[in-house]
Amino acid sequence: MKALLLKQQQNQLSASIEEIDTAHLPKGDVTVDIHWSTLNYKDALAITGKGKIIRQFPMIPGIDFSGIVHSTEDPRFHIGQHVLLTGWGVGENHWGGLAEQARVSGEWLTPLPAGLDSRQAMIIGTAGFTAMLCVIALEQGGVKPESGDVIVTGASGGVGSTAIALLSQLGYSVVAVSGRPENHEYLLSLGAKKVLPRHEFSQPPRPLEKQLWAGAIDTVGDNVLATILAQTHYNGTVAACGLAGNANLPTTVMPFILRNVRLQGVESVTVPSAKRPAVWQRLQKLLPASFYQRATTEITLDQTVEYANKLIANQVTGRTLVRVR
């Protein structure tokens, strides 16, 4: 099979497309012929070596994929069935989706939802799955469309782009934050009513600022998240799912103890299998057909290293879809 293989020798990382004997695939009870994968921020960190994502080599990166069951020992799946996978450490500590085939635990697979094809599933991918979980966190926190503006940071990325589309479809008034002025029209086309420059949120905030946001979805962290917290309404909810800026959070307890603000962490890797189909069904129902066109750059497996470097350099907008076959 053809795959992107990461190797490390004497602390030097190499990433190259290679032909690999499928006999070397790791243990698992379902083998999948992969048709589509994606390039996420975590994948880019792994491929470029900018983040310590992978600790065992050789490794095939790719934290999600969709395809067709090639063989199975799991009675929940049958040969020829369309499936998808996001998370579970695949592409980090278990060979992942940037290859023509993967062998995984059946527990990690989700049957392709009715109404989605394999390509659409990967345009959504881990980023869209995470975005839907963030929207659900806002709903569970009591944030309704009539509550006021919801702000989305890192809006030009995969999670941010999908979150804007989802919130807009649900009737929320969405404000996007982006460090790339050239993407303003793109963000407005997804459903944002306004786009604010990231530099307005990049300085250390005061403990409390003017209340502006009923809710927020943050993918950045650091001063951006701290500023959002200081500006969130009384009883507001902020869903935090990323650290594209920094893992630090230079805030105080003031938003929490004086405004009853909820900071809800969102993790998508180990969401129980039983809960995943309902999340995917909402994604299928909510995302408009236009989203799949506007938010997608399609590349081949051979272009993944090039685009991983572009993603790290903040030169990629929306979702990067990888055609594997």
Side-chain angles (χ1 to χ4, degrees), residues 2-287:
K2 187 177 180 181
L4 174 62
L5 194 66
L6 305 183
K7 299 177 183 177
Q8 189 175 62
Q9 291 183 333
Q10 299 179 338
N11 292 323
Q12 291 294 315
L13 179 73
S14 65
S16 59
I17 303 296
E18 299 190 17
E19 290 288 336
I20 299 171
D21 189 332
T22 56
H24 296 311
L25 285 167
K27 292 181 180 180
D29 47 20
V30 184
T31 301
V32 179
D33 291 329
I34 298 173
H35 288 224
W36 301 96
S37 186
T38 64
L39 195 61
N40 299 278
Y41 186 67
K42 186 181 286 187
D43 298 317
L45 288 173
I47 294 167
T48 61
K50 300 295 185 182
K52 293 188 180 298
I53 305 298
I54 295 171
R55 289 178 169 81
Q56 57 187 49
F57 295 89
M59 178 59 63
I60 295 173
I63 64 173
D64 48 16
F65 63 77
S66 63
I68 297 173
V69 174
H70 178 87
S71 63
T72 178
E73 298 172 5
D74 187 324
R76 292 173 294 183
F77 299 96
H78 60 266
I79 293 172
Q81 183 175 2
H82 290 264
V83 293
L84 63 89
L85 181 147
T86 65
W88 299 110
V90 170
E92 299 177 65
N93 50 49
H94 187 100
W95 281 12
L98 292 173
E100 291 181 332
Q101 205 168 75
R103 185 177 294 133
V104 297
S105 166
E107 187 68 19
W108 302 345
L109 292 170
T110 301
L112 188 71
L116 276 186
D117 60 36
S118 291
R119 185 178 187 274
Q120 290 172 323
M122 280 301 100
I123 293 173
I124 297 169
T126 290
F129 186 72
T130 304
M132 189 72 250
L133 293 174
C134 287
V135 172
I136 292 170
L138 296 188
E139 293 173 336
Q140 292 175 341
V143 181
K144 301 176 181 179
E146 60 267 26
S147 300
D149 289 344
V150 173
I151 191 166
V152 177
T153 69
S156 296
V159 175
S161 294
T162 315
I164 290 169
L166 290 169
L167 289 165
S168 176
Q169 288 295 114
L170 287 165
Y172 288 87
S173 173
V174 187
V175 176
V177 178
S178 175
R180 300 171 62 189
E182 68 273 19
N183 283 341
H184 284 200
E185 289 303 317
Y186 161 74
L187 297 171
L188 293 174
S189 76
L190 291 176
K193 74 161 192 177
K194 183 191 301 184
V195 183
L196 300 177
R198 185 188 298 170
H199 67 78
E200 291 187 7
F201 299 83
S202 298
Q203 299 304 311
R206 296 186 295 274
L208 290 174
E209 298 189 358
K210 183 178 179 181
Q211 298 180 53
L212 299 174
W213 320 116
I217 294 176
D218 177 67
T219 69
V220 179
D222 204 34
N223 285 329
V224 173
L225 176 54
T227 300
I228 297 297
L229 288 167
Q231 296 176 348
T232 298
H233 288 186
Y234 186 87
N235 268 348
T237 295
V238 177
C241 66
L243 41 66
N246 198 295
N248 294 333
L249 180 54
T251 190
T252 72
V253 299
M254 296 299 190
F256 311 110
I257 66 173
L258 295 182
R259 290 186 180 162
N260 209 39
V261 170
R262 173 189 294 184
L263 176 58
Q264 178 65 57
V266 174
E267 185 272 348
S268 66
V269 175
T270 58
V271 175
S273 298
K275 294 184 177 181
R276 290 177 179 246
V279 178
W280 279 99
Q281 286 164 11
R282 285 200 74 188
L283 284 159
Q284 184 277 324
K285 179 180 178 181
L286 285 172
L287 287 172

